[in-house]
Amino acid sequence: MIARKIALAVAGVAVAAACVPESNPGWDAPLEPIGPVMLEDAMVYLKPAFEEIIVVRPEIVDGVGSLHVERHETGQEPSRMVASADGTQLYVLNEGDGSLSVFDIATGGVERRDVVLESAYDRVTVDPEGDFLLLSHSGEMRSNLVVQNLNELGIVDLRGAELEARFLSLPTRAQNLVFAPPFEMDGAEQRLVAALAESEVTLVDLTTDSPIDQWRRVQLTLSQADSVRTPTEVVFDVANPNAVSAFVLTAEDDDVTEVVIQSGALTDSTRKFTVSINQLAAGQTPGRIAMLDLPQGRRLLALDRSSPRFTLMDVVSGESVTHSLPMSVAAQHMIPFYAEVPGEERLEKKVLVYSRNSQLVTIIRPEAIAVGGETPTLGLTVQAIRMSAAPSEIRMDGAGDATRAVALHAGGNDGFTILDLLTNTEIRLQGFSLSDLVFDSTQAYGIFGNSPHMVRVDLASGHPQVFELPARARAIHLSPDRDAVMVRHDGRGGRFTVLPVAEPTPENGTLYEHVFLEGALDRPADQD
Amino acid sequence: MKKLQIIVAMALLAAGTFGATTASADQLVLEGQILGVVSQDQGFSDLSGEAGSGGVGLIAGYRLGAVPEVSVLVSYHLDGMSGQRFGNQVGVDWARHRLLLGGEYGLDFLDGRLRPLARLGVGYSGQKLAMRVDGVEYQDRGHGFAVQAQGGAEVGLTSAQSTSPLSVGANFLMGYLWQTPASFGAMSSTSAPEEPTEEDPWSRATYDAGSLSASGVTWNLGVTLRYRL
């Protein structure tokens, strides 16, 4: 040690002569990167200090689990990343050079495209259709900020081979942005976005070239003197080709505001759209809303946020009916789903609602609820399933079996519950609580926060198979081919285990450690 | 690098002009030294947070009395560094050992009390890299070829005319070490068994940490024992 210090002191002249490179500042930053963001076939991490993303993919080679790790450069000072709705693209905001990088991460490859932005945005809103990306400001102060326009909105068009970006200044800062589904009006496809702000909603038209039609401001109050109304949620109804409705829920109101958008050609207006407003009764203190497409028409379902009730509204007539939920507390979450109707060749829309503070889960059958003068249909409108513990989260496989859901419980030893939504029964699995879960058709794979094991459970029978892991796992991922399962363990260096789904035993699995140190010595020099 | 070459060349030229060395008895040479290397490799700077490594060396040599300017040397050098990187989350240990075969050319002045000299050695260089995260250590070894050239001077603490066969001196040399990059392409766990066992049935994958070129400017400070045969 002493010899080394003397060596360094005496070598002062040698240092000057030898032109020693400075160490990359990324080696002084914490090792663990930001993430992961789950894509369809990979987990992606962001390492801002090295200005790179790390793509981790599981695969099976000769029947044994294997991990493929790739690194790709981002722009300067990447700050955040978001996945596309379909899990095939990654969007990275680069604060240093004011750009956006779009990574197309198809199976087996990564391609990058960049577009320059005019402002240091820090919020990204993803289009469910994958055609656009919206960039906005959160309003948070940052140390390197000199000045910026918080009302600016960046619109990135992802549809072409080259990314295109344009920028608008809205009348107020968008606190939340909600895409409307695509719809056709005046013979052309339209895309609208609702920008939610205090006491107003701004409708942004993504497809117009006309400057006066780029946005329309919709006030939720009569004047600035009124008390502030904070819009919390917006759902769109685009089923009617002549009029599109946006239903706006605010934190303060008992009503839902309906914003009706029609073609300007219908009224010879100079504007592309005409906008009108209605108020719909949505029960008392509605907290969550959802649009339901039922055989008897479009209905808006609203959950009461302060009592166990819900309201169903006919969006055409405006009539509504309120029912109680068989729960002791207000429902906080709802999951609409389609379920097979026994004896019939059709699917029925149902809604699962639950609260983290109640052991009861409720299944609502909106089709069986009469609104206004309708003739009620036969059958129970509301049914409850009682579990052994309150759920921390309920998950359903959006692509697969919609008749079963899995309820995770927060306690370390509360096991988990399989809900049969066809028979409204539950299968309780005793043991450790799940920390993460993925679906694979009629099965589900889960990991435990407190035990180094993985479980494969048959959703129909509830039969569990337990498999050993080298350590407790934090996240689980299934490959698109459904042949490999990858789990991420605790640890700053990046620890993963990859197992074949067919036989996930230690003999066929491989533990990868220090994944985030791979290629550490070969990074290019810091260019600054 | 160019400056160093010029300095060494001028020193040797002056020695050739003004030096005086006469035939004498054979000598065994033994030298212990502390040394330092200042690397110019980006990877080394990243790994260590500094540019240098320090260590020790041992040299054994034979000086022919008939050609007193020339000595044959075998040298072994060991240097390394340790540190904490990534916000003290990763422990790093790096070590290098070199076995070089070479020679020394020097001229005696002032009754052997001053000896400007130049050394050249070629041989094997082996490196070991270990990295630890959350108590889990992975390591690998890299092997390569090294060439070291140095110039400097030795000061004798005893006169060449002394009747004692043993003479002591101290020297300081500077130069350049060039070596082939070491590849740490198979970092493997130091705690896991080589093959899966019943207690630890998991196969652990190796990983490629990259390659390191630890060439750079060297210096050493040594104490020399010469035994006249």
Side-chain angles (χ1 to χ4, degrees), chain A residues 203-216:
Chain A
L203 297 172
V204 181
D205 188 342
L206 300 180
T207 57
T208 186
D209 294 324
S210 166
I212 62 166
D213 290 321
Q214 285 181 333
W215 53 264
R216 293 292 295 274

Side-chain angles (χ1 to χ4, degrees), chain A residues 42 58 136 156 192 206 218 228 234 250 286 288 295 323 443 461 471 507:
Chain A
S136 55
V156 179
L192 290 181
L206 300 180
V218 179
V228 170
V234 173
T250 65
R288 300 296 302 268
H323 286 273
Q443 297 177 323
S461 65
E507 291 75 29

Side-chain angles (χ1 to χ4, degrees), chain A residues 4 7 11 14 18 20-24 27-29 31 468 470 491-493 510-514 518-522 525, chain B residues 38 40 42 45-46 50-52 81 85-87 89-90 131 133-134 136 138 202-205 207-211 217 219:
Chain A
R4 183 160 179 241
V20 175
E22 285 188 16
S23 116
N24 191 322
W27 281 72
D28 298 318
L31 179 63
E468 200 181 321
R492 290 172 286 204
T510 308
L511 172 61
Y512 289 79
E513 297 177 299
H514 290 197
E518 179 144 350
L521 297 172
D522 290 337
Chain B
V38 179
Q40 296 167 295
Q42 177 68 50
S45 293
D46 293 340
E50 300 166 344
M81 62 86 187
R85 305 297 280 140
F86 295 106
Q89 292 179 353
V90 179
M131 291 204 274
V133 185
D134 297 325
V136 176
Y138 274 66
W202 296 95
S203 298
R204 285 165 176 75
Y207 69 93
D208 183 359
S211 63
V217 174
W219 67 267

